Each structure stands twice: as C-alpha cells, then as structure tokens.
Amino acid sequence: MISGEGPLEFQDHWKYLTFLCEGPNDSLLLRRISLILDPMVLRIRIRPQEGIDPLIISLERTVEKYIHRGPVIAIYDQGDLKPGYLSILELASRNNRCFIFSPVVEKIEAWLMADVEALKGATGLEYNGPLPTDRIEDPKRFFLHFFRVAVRQKKRGYLTRERDFFRSVVRRWDHNRARLNNSSLDGFLSLLEKKLPFTLKREGSA
C-alpha cells in the first residue's frame, strides 16, 4: 500500500524533506534517488532506523521529531512487515498528511537489481532472473548470489565485501531504467512526482 492522495502544498516554514528507512543499504539507494530532487527547494535528510522494529515502534515519536520542518517519507521492506505494523503506518498517515509511506517489494535489493544494466556493470554478469524484480521471493539472497559468483569468477576482483558490491551497483544505478523493472519502485517515484512535484529538479537543472 502507498499512502496519500493529492499533492501537498508547499509551506514557507518547510526546510527539509526527511526520508526514514530501515538501514544503511536503503540509505545508499535513497541518496542516489534524491539526485532527482532539488536541494534548493528542500534539503534532503535520510535517517536509517536500524531495522523494521525501530522504524515502526518509534514511528510516532520519529515523525513528530521531523514533521514540523517538512514532509516525512518512510520506506520499508514489505517482506519485513509484522502483524499490526501496516496499521501503525496507516494511522500515522491519517494523523498527518505530510507523512507518506511506501513499500519496497520485497526488499531494497529488488529495487537495486531492477536496473539490470547497472547490475551487469558492477558484476560483469548478465541478469537472467525474474522481471519485474518485485517477483523475486528472496531479493537479498538473489543479490548475494551475484556478488559471490562475480568474486568466484574474478569478474570484479576489487569487490570483496557485500557493502562494496552494493555501492558499486548504486554508483551505476539509474532510476528511470530501474522503475521499468520494479512496480513498487515505480509507485514510490510516482508518489514523489504526484505528492511533491515542487521538489523535483527542473529539466536542464544541475
């Protein structure tokens, strides 16, 4: 489920657009995605919460901390949701329309692998898995398979850790290519375009 209907109106007291996410890998990809946003309109803050439990259990307090300075957007791995967690997200959205949430299906690695060109550039391997990548049952395991095969075949000998590999894909990752291969990513980007159109960089801007 993706929250919210209709665009938000820009408020003069807003200074930040704050993203909440589960962990550092989510943060890396959000940082890449934020390149489509204009930092002259709102400064970007990304706040990883060390997992789904801290993200949801502390959601009310975290949203209160940031919401007075601008919109807050939470992304979460749909595969990590526990009973009752979706209700907490929905309640927070009903209580404050400047809080928006959007799922990652099933995990952030599925968004990353959706740019198969970036994946090949980072690994030297062709992607032959399910498309759209929302269909991958265990994206993290699938992603780690690419990492291990690339290392074993010495395709990318300079990559020795999962984190390095993730970064290598992120550096090549393009949101327009990726959104074609992942419905939840396309939904998230559409949410930004519809709810916060004033934050997007104008064509031709640096």
Side-chain angles (χ1 to χ4, degrees):
M1 176 177 181
I2 296 175
S3 65
E5 294 294 338
L8 298 177
E9 293 185 10
F10 182 80
Q11 305 295 316
D12 289 339
H13 66 275
W14 286 354
K15 302 297 180 186
Y16 296 96
L17 173 59
T18 303
F19 289 98
L20 307 177
C21 58
E22 290 188 38
N25 281 350
D26 307 67
S27 181
L28 280 174
L29 197 54
L30 280 172
R31 185 63 62 190
R32 181 73 176 183
I33 291 171
S34 71
L35 294 177
I36 71 174
L37 304 175
D38 188 346
M40 299 301 291
V41 177
L42 291 174
R43 295 174 61 185
I44 309 302
R45 296 191 293 198
I46 300 173
R47 297 292 184 262
Q49 301 295 303
E50 300 182 359
I52 188 69
D53 294 327
L55 174 63
I56 302 299
I57 293 170
S58 302
L59 185 66
E60 183 178 2
R61 184 169 65 251
T62 307
V63 170
E64 278 298 314
K65 179 179 179 180
Y66 296 118
I67 201 75
H68 64 286
R69 302 300 301 277
V72 176
I73 301 177
I75 67 165
Y76 59 92
D77 290 355
Q78 182 164 286
D80 292 342
L81 277 188
K82 297 178 181 178
Y85 279 8
L86 184 58
S87 297
I88 294 173
L89 288 160
E90 290 172 340
L91 178 61
S93 181
R94 285 197 299 270
N95 288 342
N96 197 323
R97 68 185 303 264
C98 294
F99 170 70
I100 303 163
F101 65 92
S102 186
V104 178
V105 181
E106 288 283 327
K107 290 184 177 292
I108 197 68
E109 287 81 6
W111 282 12
L112 194 72
M113 289 186 292
D115 184 352
V116 295
E117 186 176 318
L119 192 63
K120 182 180 179 181
T123 64
L125 301 172
E126 293 278 356
Y127 176 83
N128 295 310
L131 288 174
T133 56
D134 312 66
R135 293 169 48 207
I136 302 173
E137 291 185 8
D138 190 343
K140 185 174 180 66
R141 182 178 178 184
F142 206 101
F143 178 74
L144 288 175
H145 166 75
F146 269 83
F147 168 60
R148 289 165 183 150
V149 172
V151 171
R152 188 165 62 245
Q153 295 185 4
K154 297 182 169 45
K155 295 281 189 180
R156 298 291 185 268
Y158 55 87
L159 298 174
T160 58
R161 297 178 303 172
E162 176 194 350
R163 181 86 165 155
D164 296 333
F165 182 32
F166 200 101
R167 287 180 183 275
S168 182
V169 181
V170 167
R171 283 197 298 270
R172 297 167 168 83
W173 193 87
D174 178 81
H175 71 281
N176 283 320
R177 292 195 303 253
R179 73 187 304 175
L180 298 175
N181 292 324
N182 188 284
S183 301
S184 65
L185 173 62
D186 183 59
F188 171 69
L189 293 171
S190 296
L191 185 70
L192 290 178
E193 293 160 357
K194 292 174 183 176
K195 296 284 287 186
L196 300 164
F198 51 82
T199 67
L200 300 174
K201 286 182 178 175
R202 298 287 181 260
E203 197 140 329
S205 62

